[in-house]
Amino acid sequence: MDGELITQFGPEAREASIASILESLMKLHSLDVEELYIRWEQFSYQRHEKQTDLNLKNLDSFKEFLQQQIEKKALQVSSASRKNGPMKKNKVVRGSTNNSAFGFSIPNTPTIKKRKLQVSSSTKKENGHENSLHFSEGTSVERTQQLGSSPLLNSDANRDVGVSTPIKLRESGKILDSLNPENIEIAGGIDPNVETATKVSIAPYFDAKKYKFRTMRQKIQDAADVLDEQIEAFHELIKGHYKLSTTDFADPTVQSQSEIYAIGRVVPDSALSEGFPNIDAIALETSRNQGIGRRIRLDLEHVSETSLFLGQIVAIKGKNATGEYFKVEEVLSLPYPDSPVSTANEIQEVQLSMDNAPMKAVITAGPYTADDKWDFSILSDFVDRINSDIKPHTIVMFGPFLDITQSCIKEANIPQFPNMKTQPKTLDEVFYKVVVPILRRIDSNIQVVLLPSTRDVLSRHAAYPQDSFDRKMLQLPRNFKCFPNPSTFQLNEVFVGCSNVDIYKDMKEITKGGSTSMRNRFDRVSEHVLQQRRYYPVFPGGLKKSLKFKDKTGKNIYEHISGADLDVPYLPLTEFVGGFAPDIIVIPSELQHFARVVRNVVFINPGRFVLPKGVNGTFVQLTVNCPDIESGDLTRIEDDEPTFLHNVWKRSRVDILTS
């Protein structure tokens, strides 16, 4: 336990008094180490601190924070109990449906980063693939940069439904953090007064027809086939990468004295009851071809360090000498996907279309109103600033736009709109009459991309992967484009991957080894996304539920709020298209906003646009310098014609600002 505490909380947890308090809090609140650390991060987040010192004084405040959370939850349960009555049953909604696939490709090399280390200097080793940061303890981090997150202020502010009430807001447009600010200036954006204003080319890199499936039609056979194909695809990938033959692989569930290689999916051991997985209670699930779909418990005693999660496809080396468990000697590192490239002609076309000017984009993530108040004024003010000050070429907006979990919607308490002749009668009409007029004010020269959330009331497709909005049905103008969730598209030459399911919160890692577990969690999860070549590699998906009431026997009755709601037969739509990693990957998360470079890919969490109590949150302003072959920012690779790596991580600047 001491080792796990040090792994999560750092060296301060070695102190006996601190360790004993942490252990007592875990027992008192029925939390494991990782869950306790997540609460600690939330505590820091509420205190507006990037990192809170782990000392006895702060632990006292942390105890009060946990107690307040319990009291708040008890009030919600009491309220729900009075409202619904003790005899009401809860309903659990599940997503579902049928088949399709993209594919896989091949590699590069891994990254190691230690948590709580200070960067002393940075050097670059450029062969088109590497950029190292050196830390004061001598540990190098290949191709990893990071942008921390900043405090949230005025969390007590709130707004009344339909009423303009003075509240405390953060200063809008204030830069909280930046990535690459010393090398790149903020782009000017479009000039709406110039007739030949530069326009960014937006090209979808997905087959929209494949998202038109019907949910709630899942067949067990189709789901089993897809889960099998994931394992088999990695089997071929590992064989090619490590130059292994078919005979090197065998069924890990069969007793044998020989050392073998095996591929499978990490699942909980059958002896593990419901709860957080741990290193001593996980198993490997084989494919039907490799092991008739059977499972075998894993013994990781001889593995010095690793990071695993449920649903992960892994390649391992070891043997099953007793028939009861597979003794793992090595967990093989999965190859990383390739990077996208462009030809010299394609780069010249971008230079001509942009007149060598940098591209400017804005990224926002919903909700766009408070959790318990109805007020879109922050979004309205933001649109005015978009037109007058920011003037980006493109805006990428993630849902939810109307959140099904928002209290006004959930409780059917939509306010009256005095300026409207006829009041909206449906939630679709609320969107047409309240939200669309705000969005329509965005300058027509600015292109807008909308991506849905599984919590969007507007979406007829509440499972992941998720079909796009219907632009015409939502009565949006031509400069709006509606893409599915997840999706990959191009902004000029830059490939952007977007997924609107919170993998950073849902991935429950099982870590072993100091250097692995002490790396920043966002780096580890980002690397898993790259290695697994899927935007959401966790299986089963994360589930968000709340305690509704207790029945007469004292049993807790929960209600489903939201979650990943995976439509398993269509999980191939969540894979990287073409088998390569996008230049930029945007995944909104409830955790702290950030921007980081991991394995030459820029990972971005824009943060929530409006915070739960109605305080303005954050958004991302992205600047990407125009590609220039002569500048040396692009790396030429060997090919029949001049071909270059985009190196977007070198020539882009990411600013996180208050909305």
Side-chain angles (χ1 to χ4, degrees):
M1 180 60 70
D2 288 346
E4 291 182 38
L5 289 171
I6 293 168
T7 292
Q8 292 292 344
F9 288 88
E12 295 89 348
R14 286 195 180 97
E15 190 176 329
S17 58
I18 289 176
S20 64
I21 292 174
L22 293 174
E23 288 179 8
S24 66
L25 288 174
M26 288 165 59
K27 292 176 184 176
L28 181 63
H29 298 283
S30 299
L31 301 171
D32 56 42
V33 177
E34 177 120 4
E35 288 172 324
L36 185 68
Y37 182 68
I38 289 173
R39 301 287 178 90
W40 177 259
E41 284 189 323
Q42 292 172 343
F43 170 66
S44 300
Y45 190 74
Q46 191 185 69
R47 286 163 62 97
H48 324 315
E49 297 175 354
K50 286 186 180 180
Q51 184 175 301
T52 302
D53 293 334
L54 187 65
N55 54 42
L56 295 176
K57 181 180 177 182
N58 287 335
L59 280 175
D60 287 339
S61 301
F62 183 48
K63 290 178 187 177
E64 294 177 9
F65 170 77
L66 292 176
Q67 186 61 34
Q68 288 170 2
Q69 283 191 326
I70 292 173
E71 291 171 359
K72 184 178 178 182
K73 198 165 186 178
L75 284 173
Q76 291 173 344
V77 172
S78 174
S79 172
S81 178
R82 288 194 302 271
K83 187 172 183 180
N84 299 314
M87 298 305 293
K88 273 203 169 184
K89 303 274 183 175
N90 65 316
K91 291 184 180 179
V92 179
V93 182
R94 293 176 184 161
S96 36
T97 316
N98 240 321
N99 215 332
S100 70
F102 286 116
F104 289 76
S105 171
I106 321 181
N108 280 348
T109 37
T111 298
I112 294 179
K113 180 179 182 304
K114 284 195 174 182
R115 192 167 67 85
K116 296 186 178 178
L117 298 181
Q118 299 297 321
V119 179
S120 59
S121 63
S122 65
T123 62
K124 295 183 180 179
K125 178 183 178 184
E126 298 188 4
N127 56 8
H129 291 277
E130 293 187 358
N131 178 46
S132 298
L133 296 178
H134 293 282
F135 291 81
S136 56
E137 291 190 11
T139 303
S140 69
V141 181
E142 289 189 45
R143 294 181 290 131
T144 301
Q145 294 177 339
Q146 68 171 354
L147 165 60
S149 46
S150 282
L152 300 175
L153 306 177
N154 303 325
S155 60
D156 295 330
N158 52 60
R159 297 168 182 254
D160 291 332
V161 176
V163 180
S164 177
T165 309
I167 65 169
K168 292 181 180 179
L169 289 179
R170 296 192 290 178
E171 179 188 347
S172 297
K174 181 180 179 182
I175 296 178
L176 302 178
D177 278 308
S178 294
L179 178 67
N180 279 343
E182 64 283 347
N183 302 322
I184 300 168
E185 294 183 359
I186 297 173
I190 64 167
D191 187 350
N193 299 318
V194 179
E195 291 185 7
T196 58
T198 56
K199 282 196 175 182
V200 170
S201 169
I202 301 180
Y205 202 71
F206 55 85
D207 186 351
K209 293 179 181 177
K210 290 186 176 180
Y211 290 85
K212 303 296 181 185
F213 58 88
R214 298 174 68 186
T215 58
M216 307 299 290
R217 297 271 193 269
Q218 182 167 277
K219 296 178 182 177
I220 293 177
Q221 183 63 48
D222 294 333
D225 288 343
V226 165
L227 295 175
D228 240 26
E229 286 165 9
Q230 288 178 348
I231 298 174
E232 290 301 319
F234 273 97
H235 181 246
E236 295 303 315
L237 185 69
I238 292 295
K239 270 203 318 186
H241 181 69
Y242 286 99
K243 295 179 173 54
L244 301 172
S245 66
T246 304
T247 56
D248 291 323
F249 293 86
D251 183 353
T253 66
V254 175
Q255 183 177 355
S256 171
Q257 300 303 315
S258 302
E259 206 167 61
I260 63 164
Y261 290 91
I263 302 264
R265 178 179 290 101
V266 175
V267 295
D269 180 30
S270 57
L272 177 67
S273 59
E274 185 179 342
F276 199 89
N278 65 75
I279 201 74
D280 298 317
I282 57 173
L284 187 76
E285 180 181 77
T286 61
S287 66
R288 282 172 287 188
N289 187 39
Q290 301 292 319
I292 329 178
R294 291 179 299 199
R295 297 179 174 187
I296 183 71
R297 186 168 66 85
L298 296 180
D299 178 2
L300 294 159
E301 182 183 353
H302 290 267
V303 176
S304 58
E305 58 180 73
T306 189
S307 174
L308 304 173
F309 61 90
L310 300 185
Q312 180 181 7
I313 309 296
V314 294
I316 55 178
K317 180 182 178 183
K319 62 183 176 181
N320 180 358
T322 65
E324 295 180 1
Y325 59 87
F326 188 87
K327 194 168 191 176
V328 182
E329 298 295 336
E330 181 184 0
V331 179
L332 278 64
S333 176
L334 298 183
Y336 289 86
D338 288 329
S339 300
V341 296
S342 293
T343 63
N345 289 336
E346 290 169 336
I347 290 169
Q348 288 170 359
E349 288 177 9
V350 173
Q351 288 177 310
L352 288 172
S353 67
M354 295 296 294
D355 195 22
N356 286 321
M359 175 179 68
K360 188 175 187 179
V362 161
I363 304 169
T364 67
Y368 296 92
T369 187
D371 282 355
D372 56 352
K373 307 293 178 186
W374 189 269
D375 186 358
F376 286 92
S377 61
I378 294 178
L379 178 62
S380 180
D381 294 342
F382 179 72
V383 169
D384 293 336
R385 284 167 40 220
I386 284 288
N387 294 333
S388 60
D389 300 328
I390 304 173
K391 297 182 286 189
H393 296 95
T394 305
I395 305 175
V396 180
M397 301 183 75
F398 290 81
F401 294 91
L402 292 180
D403 189 351
I404 194 69
T405 66
Q406 207 267 357
S407 62
C408 296
I409 294 175
K410 187 168 63 174
E411 298 169 7
N413 188 26
I414 305 297
Q416 292 291 310
F417 302 97
N419 297 328
M420 295 183 188
K421 291 181 180 179
T422 58
Q423 296 298 312
K425 297 177 182 178
T426 66
L427 287 172
D428 286 353
E429 286 188 21
V430 171
F431 185 79
Y432 308 150
K433 296 183 177 183
V434 178
V435 182
V436 169
I438 297 174
L439 298 179
R440 277 181 173 275
R441 299 203 328 257
I442 296 175
D443 191 306
S444 60
N445 290 310
I446 299 172
Q447 299 182 77
V448 184
V449 175
L450 302 184
L451 291 104
S453 162
T454 53
R455 290 172 15 219
D456 262 305
V457 298
L458 303 171
S459 178
R460 304 294 185 267
H461 196 153
Y464 183 83
Q466 184 179 21
D467 194 13
S468 58
F469 291 132
D470 187 328
R471 182 182 67 82
K472 291 182 179 178
M473 188 192 77
L474 298 180
Q475 304 175 14
L476 293 166
R478 288 179 175 270
N479 60 317
F480 281 74
K481 291 178 171 57
C482 296
F483 288 166
N485 171 31
S487 58
T488 304
F489 54 91
Q490 280 184 274
L491 299 179
N492 288 339
E493 84 290 357
V494 179
F495 280 88
V496 181
C498 295
S499 174
N500 203 3
V501 178
D502 193 349
I503 183 63
Y504 291 100
K505 187 173 182 182
D506 289 352
M507 184 179 287
K508 306 298 184 186
E509 291 179 282
I510 310 161
T511 57
K512 182 181 180 183
S515 61
T516 297
S517 52
M518 287 182 70
R519 286 159 50 204
N520 185 283
R521 173 177 168 80
F522 295 134
D523 286 341
R524 294 198 308 264
V525 175
S526 299
E527 284 196 13
H528 284 311
V529 168
L530 291 176
Q531 286 185 318
Q532 298 292 306
R533 299 158 190 258
R534 301 198 300 280
Y535 291 110
Y536 192 84
V538 170
F539 186 81
L543 179 67
K544 195 172 182 180
K545 58 185 181 179
S546 68
L547 183 63
K548 198 169 185 181
F549 58 86
K550 290 191 176 186
D551 63 15
K552 290 183 176 180
T553 64
K555 182 181 178 182
N556 292 336
I557 302 298
Y558 293 93
E559 64 176 340
H560 176 278
I561 299 176
S562 64
D565 297 324
L566 301 180
D567 212 326
V568 180
Y570 290 90
L571 286 182
L573 293 173
T574 69
E575 297 170 5
F576 291 171
V577 186
F580 61 83
D583 297 301
I584 298 172
I585 293 180
V586 186
I587 304 177
S589 172
E590 291 181 20
L591 301 181
Q592 292 177 327
H593 53 260
F594 65 84
R596 328 177 70 78
V597 177
V598 180
R599 306 300 303 178
N600 286 2
V601 178
V602 182
F603 280 84
I604 297 174
N605 167 24
R608 179 171 161 154
F609 186 78
V610 177
L611 299 179
K613 294 296 183 182
V615 181
N616 49 346
T618 55
F619 72 97
V620 162
Q621 182 176 267
L622 173 68
T623 297
V624 181
N625 282 343
C626 194
D628 185 358
I629 295 172
E630 304 299 327
S631 69
D633 284 343
L634 308 182
T635 305
R636 181 166 180 170
I637 61 174
E638 295 181 9
D639 207 341
D640 296 336
E641 61 177 319
T643 306
F644 298 85
L645 290 167
H646 295 159
N647 288 351
V648 171
W649 58 277
K650 280 189 192 178
R651 53 190 180 89
S652 63
R653 168 175 175 158
V654 182
D655 295 298
I656 296 179
L657 301 88
T658 51
S659 57

